[in-house]
Amino acid sequence: MQAIERADVPELVALLDAQVIVHSDGGGKVRSALNPVSGADRVARFLIGVQRKSPVGNISLGQVNGAPALLMECEGRTDLLTVDTGAGAATRILLIAIPQKLGHLGAAFGPLPG
């Protein structure tokens, strides 16, 4: 999140697998990418662009289906970002912004360390 907030493309690319892919789902209620975004540079720029358009407020850390996840408040709604990793880099990122599917997650998440 720090690299995204600073719009630091090289730092963010270093955290991503070269073949990383982002899937986003707004459930037809929240604006999201229609197609997956792939490749470290494109994914980094996409995530930075999303942050610029909808700045994130409070962020909580947790897990969903065994993967690290962030629960983020932005523009009066809650979004979920999960990250699958392999060999020390993010290989797949899911960005979910469907309000009716995420309301129950808050209790399972805690503050970010540091």
Side-chain angles (χ1 to χ4, degrees), residues 13-96:
V13 166
L15 299 171
L16 303 171
D17 183 84
Q19 302 302 313
V20 65
I21 189 163
V22 171
H23 297 273
S24 64
D25 186 358
K29 307 229 184 261
V30 176
R31 194 170 170 193
S32 63
L34 296 176
N35 297 304
V37 178
S38 61
D41 188 68
R42 289 183 67 207
V43 166
R45 293 177 190 285
F46 171 77
L47 293 173
I48 289 167
V50 168
Q51 167 66 11
R52 283 187 181 147
K53 290 178 184 171
S54 297
V56 174
N58 292 328
I59 302 172
S60 302
L61 179 65
Q63 284 194 345
V64 173
N65 297 329
L70 297 174
L71 200 60
M72 306 173 294
E73 293 178 13
C74 50
E75 296 187 346
R77 68 174 195 272
T78 300
D79 292 353
L80 176 71
L81 184 138
T82 66
V83 181
D84 292 340
T85 59
T91 57
R92 183 174 73 151
I93 299 170
L94 302 176
L95 182 56
I96 303 166

